[in-house]
Amino acid sequence: MERVTFHSDESGFCVLRVKARGHRELVTIIGTLPEVRAGEYVQAKGRWRLDKQYGQQFRAEVIETTPPDTVEGVEKYLASGLIKGIGPVLASRLVRAFGQRVFEIIDRDPHNLTYVAGIGATRKAKIAAAWDEQKAIREIMVFLHSHKVSTSRAFRVFKAYGNEAIETVQEDPYRLAGDIRGIGFKTADVIAESLGISKQSDLRARAGVEYALQELTSQGHCGYGRDELVEMAAKLLEIPGEIITSAVEHLLCDGRLVAHTIDMGAGPVPAVFLANLDHSEGSLASDLIARQSGPHPCPSIDVAKAIAWVQQKTGLELASQQRRAVELACRSKAMVITGGPGVGKTTIINSIVKIMRAKGLTVVLAAPTGRAAKRMSEATRTSASTIHRLLVFDPKRGGFRHDASHPLSGDVFIIDEASMLDVTLAWQLIRAIPHEAALVLVGDVDQLPSVGPGCVLRDIIDSGRVPVCRLTEVFRQAARSAIVTNAHRINQGRMPTFPLEKVASPAETDFYMVQADDPDRAVEVLRALVCEHIPAKFGFDRVDGIQVLSPMQRGVLGCRNLNDVLQRALNPSGPAVERFGWTFRVGDKVMQMVNDYDKDVFNGDIGRVAGIDEVEQELTVTFDGRPVKYDLRELDELHLCYATTVHKSQGSEYPAVVMPVHTQHYVMLQRNLLYTAVTRGRKLVVMVGTKKALAIAVRNMDARRRVTMLKQRLQGAADEPVLPGYNAGRDQENVT
């Protein structure tokens, strides 16, 4: 094999250029292989075919590979990136030193490697470890491939199960769906069928029920109606409902599911919850009620004098609603402050921080995302952290270091962007806050709910068990912004207004709509806005200053296509690597898609690709100036981020936001999604698309309700009356 023209990590499909006996020119072979390296020997069985475009090709039904046994082949094989730490230069030295025995030396006598220039004890150990790892991963690849499954996740299977990977998967292939990112139930089901596991087996039925519930949690539900779940799983697995019902009973007896009765709107119905979410919700409700007892950590103060003092310190006069929020924060051990843009939430946080610190209290600030924490820190001139970094992940324990037995240190905890808290993170945070400390949750309840399961902020507010200040007054300075006024119009179900139909001088307005009925035309308009017009007229950086937010991943106006278009326009050339369907190039803007505690990077973090090392098989991304290295086999953690979804933008603000709004996005056009997108723009918002699509989004309140029990648990957790400060009405002034 002289050259690998193409190889898909997902399907194994490959196009190879091979030097074959009896052929003067290189032969093109097309087929499938789990992994392929230049220099290997290939034996292919199939038939010849004359392609009109590409000429004569050999279409292989079966391809087998064996390691090379010539000096030239061995060198090419080693230089192909097979082993981390060995590039073309070192491959040449190794072959000169050991000839065809180099594989045997690496495998059995790696200490001899140190006789080669450039290899010391550390590099020797690294090469030996990489060789062992490569052998194990290759075995997993062959195993997965033999069961008609993509081999692109073989590295993650190896990381999860080590050398027992194949044995573990053979014992219970459905474990893959829960343990390995990127491998779902359907993939595990293919392996199970190939291993001879019956379609109607109890193992498959139980795994299918848990998979169905996991899919529902990705839609925000913590549980689901039992009858609906049985029907859904039976349809998904194509087996009788009686088998599913038996599987549900088995999972309930095992404690993997928990039964409840919930009100879905048409009266009480039996429901089932995943055990971990049930525990998180129940513990969160109990904690929120319990922590309201006992004295506030702030000593008794004259709040009116404290407010007068803080107004003098900041030079800002607090409005009546803001005064009430500060007053409540001085006497409530747990409370919520909610409101839209321009209502002064940041001013309130700053005031509370100054008053509490003046009284000698330790104030801890945190938010779900790095950008939100940074904004909080800049506004208060006080250090703020992400929740994940505040809790400190401990790899040895497999969980956070701070919990109820090892609580955080502090007197007052203020958590911003609380609408982003899913039920699991909320419970992990609140159980780590000392019982005697005060808790202030700040957020906009009208934004999209959390990406993860639960509807924490809304459930807390609607329960009536925690004091709430709803801020409704938009301040005069903020009201001058069309972004702020239009955000409130959208939230009230009214169409936004566009003072100017064309992008004019920056002083005239900060909110525009550019009409583009045809999706392909809209893509071109969007590209021109990002790459040319907005930077020229407003001075924003084309990459860091402008963020495209789309309602969806798929489609012409979805993030996937927009990222391809913008990458070609903004970063068309330079060192690159292709993995998992993405091309990552030095200089690209990328987003972390999952929490990676080992790397200390979290879902939603945005960085720039700083370097690609083909010898070490690593890609480096800088996040806020901090370099983070990724094995090339881990790049499924990253996506290009010239465009991202509105959901992924939660907790962030950008100087300029460009948003496609088109009927192509019909299923995702919702008021809270549009409202969330608009409130992400700090200085400029430009919409591209049709006013018809905009009107659909404004009208659509998204009636789909998340199945949660936090509100019900809070209301049933104590017999105390509704606490003062609660305001259930969206449009009423809050009562304290």
Side-chain angles (χ1 to χ4, degrees), residues 689-710:
T690 68
K691 289 188 177 179
K692 178 182 178 182
L694 197 59
I696 292 170
V698 170
R699 287 195 304 267
N700 186 3
M701 283 285 289
D702 184 24
R704 288 175 294 176
R705 176 186 167 193
R706 293 188 170 192
V707 179
T708 69
M709 283 189 63
L710 181 58

Side-chain angles (χ1 to χ4, degrees), residues 161 172-189 207 211 214:
Y161 306 135
D172 181 6
Y174 293 106
R175 282 189 60 180
L176 288 168
D179 295 346
I180 311 298
R181 168 174 160 76
I183 297 183
F185 175 82
K186 292 179 181 178
T187 300
D189 206 26
Y211 166 71
Q214 289 289 356

Side-chain angles (χ1 to χ4, degrees), residues 376-390:
M376 207 178 181
S377 182
E378 289 169 351
T380 61
R381 296 183 182 177
T382 302
S383 176
S385 167
T386 63
I387 293 170
H388 291 94
R389 291 192 177 101
L390 180 70

Side-chain angles (χ1 to χ4, degrees), residues 48 93 100 142 362 397 491 524 535 556 567 583 596 618 672 681:
W48 291 98
R93 289 180 192 165
Q100 294 163 246
V142 172
T362 300
R397 296 175 55 190
N491 202 29
E524 176 52 31
V556 175
Q567 184 188 47
T583 297
D596 190 324
E618 289 179 338
N672 59 356

Side-chain angles (χ1 to χ4, degrees), residues 586-599:
V586 172
D588 274 338
K589 182 162 76 167
V590 293
M591 176 180 281
Q592 176 76 12
M593 303 305 289
V594 293
N595 293 330
D596 190 324
Y597 297 101
D598 293 331
K599 294 183 177 66

Side-chain angles (χ1 to χ4, degrees), residues 611-624:
I612 297 170
D613 188 331
E614 293 187 1
V615 174
E616 295 296 331
Q617 294 285 288
E618 289 179 338
L619 177 143
T620 302
V621 179
T622 55
F623 294 94
D624 289 327

Side-chain angles (χ1 to χ4, degrees), residues 188-427:
D189 206 26
V190 169
I191 298 174
E193 184 178 16
S194 183
L195 289 170
I197 295 174
S198 167
K199 286 279 189 184
Q200 297 193 8
S201 71
D202 290 337
L203 178 66
R204 181 172 184 262
R206 293 196 293 271
V209 168
E210 289 192 287
Y211 166 71
L213 262 180
Q214 289 289 356
E215 285 293 289
L216 289 164
T217 65
S218 70
Q219 299 172 27
H221 303 294
C222 292
Y224 215 64
R226 184 166 174 168
D227 294 343
E228 289 89 343
L229 177 65
V230 169
E231 184 180 344
M232 177 189 294
K235 186 176 180 180
L236 171 75
L237 302 179
E238 297 178 337
I239 59 177
E242 302 80 52
I243 297 176
I244 301 296
T245 300
S246 175
V248 171
E249 291 294 340
H250 191 283
L251 291 166
L252 287 167
C253 290
D254 273 1
R256 296 177 69 88
L257 300 182
V258 179
H260 285 290
T261 299
I262 60 173
D263 189 349
M264 298 279 286
V269 295
V272 289
F273 282 61
L274 289 168
N276 62 321
L277 295 180
D278 176 75
H279 176 70
S280 295
E281 266 203 346
S283 301
L284 177 59
S286 299
D287 193 293
L288 281 170
I289 293 297
R291 74 171 45 253
Q292 294 181 80
S293 62
H296 193 287
C298 182
S300 180
I301 61 172
D302 186 325
V303 178
K305 287 184 178 179
I307 289 173
W309 172 82
V310 83
Q311 288 180 150
Q312 185 180 16
K313 295 287 287 185
T314 61
L316 297 172
E317 185 175 350
L318 300 181
S320 58
Q321 291 182 348
Q322 293 177 311
R323 288 168 175 263
R324 288 197 289 268
V326 173
E327 180 184 352
L328 199 56
C330 292
R331 58 185 176 88
S332 297
K333 283 190 65 185
M335 68 167 294
V336 172
I337 299 170
T338 187
V343 296
K345 297 191 295 294
T346 302
T347 300
I348 293 171
I349 293 173
N350 200 19
S351 299
I352 294 170
V353 169
K354 289 187 181 304
I355 291 172
M356 297 300 174
R357 291 179 72 179
K359 288 296 178 180
L361 302 180
T362 300
V363 181
V364 179
L365 305 180
T369 68
R371 285 175 174 250
K374 186 177 180 181
R375 220 168 47 241
M376 207 178 181
S377 182
E378 289 169 351
T380 61
R381 296 183 182 177
T382 302
S383 176
S385 167
T386 63
I387 293 170
H388 291 94
R389 291 192 177 101
L390 180 70
L391 296 176
V392 187
F393 187 76
D394 186 347
K396 292 180 181 178
R397 296 175 55 190
F400 290 117
R401 188 175 301 165
H402 292 289
D403 55 20
S405 61
H406 184 203
L408 294 160
S409 178
D411 302 306
V412 179
F413 289 78
I414 304 177
I415 312 301
D416 200 8
E417 296 289 352
S419 62
M420 294 183 66
L421 291 174
D422 62 45
V423 69
T424 304
L425 183 59
W427 170 66

Side-chain angles (χ1 to χ4, degrees), residues 16-43:
L16 313 175
R17 296 286 284 164
V18 175
K19 185 185 292 184
R21 285 190 298 269
H23 294 265
R24 184 175 298 176
E25 303 294 331
L26 294 179
V27 171
T28 299
I29 296 180
I30 295 174
T32 59
L33 275 171
E35 189 183 40
V36 62
R37 300 282 179 183
E40 289 180 308
Y41 281 106
V42 179
Q43 185 178 64

